[in-house]
């Protein structure tokens, strides 16, 4: 009972939705004794792999003076990808999410598993051109193109010819 309570589970009422826990929660909890040995080993290994501080320098290809909060957003994205987490960068409008993301993309391109990979940006139609202009301005070493949708077969040609492919939501939905 104590082991479950430590995780916030009420052992008397298990009628709620299934709970999901982070590896760090399970590794630090006495509740891990409730897990099978192979699951416990996997959780302990995953918890040891996690990096809590990921603060790489700004990649050399970035042509911008970043504000402190933009560097923090970039570090947040590198933290997420280093630890294989999903997440959302949700700053207010006009604070440089595109620059932060381009900086993260530049960093990803330095990582061996991402070298030579094309990045797909799916965004509102209103910011498609912004992605092209900001990538040319802040990360001129990459080739960014807009895929106008249409035949999904032509996407392969576009991907092979670019480092960054931008498409809006509606065109992607109509193309697939």
């Amino acid at each position: 009972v104590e082991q479950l309570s430590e995780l916030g589970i009420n052992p008397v009422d298990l009628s709620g939705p299934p709970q999901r826990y982070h590896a760090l929660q399970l590794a630090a909890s006495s509740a891990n004794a409730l897990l099978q040995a192979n699951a416990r080993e996997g959780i302990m290994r995953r918890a040891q792999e996690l990096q809590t501080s990921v603060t790489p320098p700004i990649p050399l290809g970035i042509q911008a003076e970043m504000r402190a909060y933009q560097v923090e957003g970039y570090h947040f994205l590198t933290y997420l990808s280093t630890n294989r987490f999903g997440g959302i960068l949700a700053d207010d409008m006009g604070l440089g999410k595109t620059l932060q993301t381009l900086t993260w993309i530049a960093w990803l391109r330095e990582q061996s598993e991402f070298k030579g990979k094309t990045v797909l940006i799916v965004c509102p139609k209103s910011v498609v051109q912004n992605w092209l202009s900001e990538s040319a301005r802040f990360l001129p070493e990459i080739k960014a193109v807009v895929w106008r949708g249409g035949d999904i077969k032509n996407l392969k040609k576009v991907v092979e010819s670019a480092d960054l492919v931008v498409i809006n939501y509606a065109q992607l939905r109509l193309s697939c």
Side-chain angles (χ1 to χ4, degrees):
V1 174
E2 272 184 48
Q3 295 162 326
L4 293 174
S5 294
E6 198 176 303
L7 289 173
I9 297 173
N10 180 347
V12 177
D13 180 15
L14 298 174
S15 62
Q19 300 293 312
R20 295 188 61 143
Y21 295 95
H22 193 283
L24 291 177
Q25 288 173 296
L26 293 173
S29 162
S30 63
N32 70 19
L34 300 172
L35 302 171
Q36 293 178 354
N38 62 343
R40 185 172 39 256
E41 289 170 15
I43 287 170
M44 297 305 284
R45 186 174 38 259
R46 178 68 175 126
Q48 290 170 350
E49 291 172 354
L50 294 176
Q51 297 180 35
T52 56
S53 179
V54 181
T55 57
I58 304 299
L60 295 176
I62 293 296
Q63 307 294 311
E65 286 292 322
M66 295 178 69
R67 295 187 167 99
Y69 67 87
Q70 292 170 325
V71 173
E72 188 176 320
Y74 155 64
H75 286 160
F76 173 68
L77 293 172
T78 60
Y79 162 78
L80 291 175
S81 54
T82 297
N83 288 299
R84 299 186 318 262
F85 296 152
I88 297 172
L89 182 61
D91 288 343
D92 289 335
M93 286 181 61
L95 293 181
K97 288 181 297 298
T98 306
L99 172 57
Q100 293 170 62
T101 304
L102 286 166
T103 306
W104 174 63
I105 290 168
W107 175 81
L108 281 176
R109 292 171 52 82
E110 294 174 351
Q111 311 310 303
S112 59
E113 65 267 29
F114 294 103
K115 283 191 192 294
K117 303 282 185 185
T118 301
V119 174
L120 176 66
I121 301 293
V122 182
C123 60
K125 185 176 183 180
S126 62
V127 297
V128 166
Q129 290 305 317
N130 186 60
W131 270 98
L132 289 182
S133 63
E134 293 210 0
S135 64
R137 178 178 170 198
F138 298 128
L139 189 56
E141 68 188 41
I142 68 168
K143 181 179 179 191
V145 299
V146 174
W147 180 46
R148 302 281 178 207
D151 187 357
I152 194 79
K153 293 175 188 169
N154 80 12
L155 178 59
K156 184 175 181 182
K157 290 180 197 171
V158 173
V159 166
E160 290 172 351
S161 70
D163 301 306
L164 184 82
V165 176
V166 183
I167 187 169
N168 75 57
Y169 299 124
Q171 287 174 318
L172 180 64
R173 189 182 72 241
L174 293 172
S175 298
C176 294

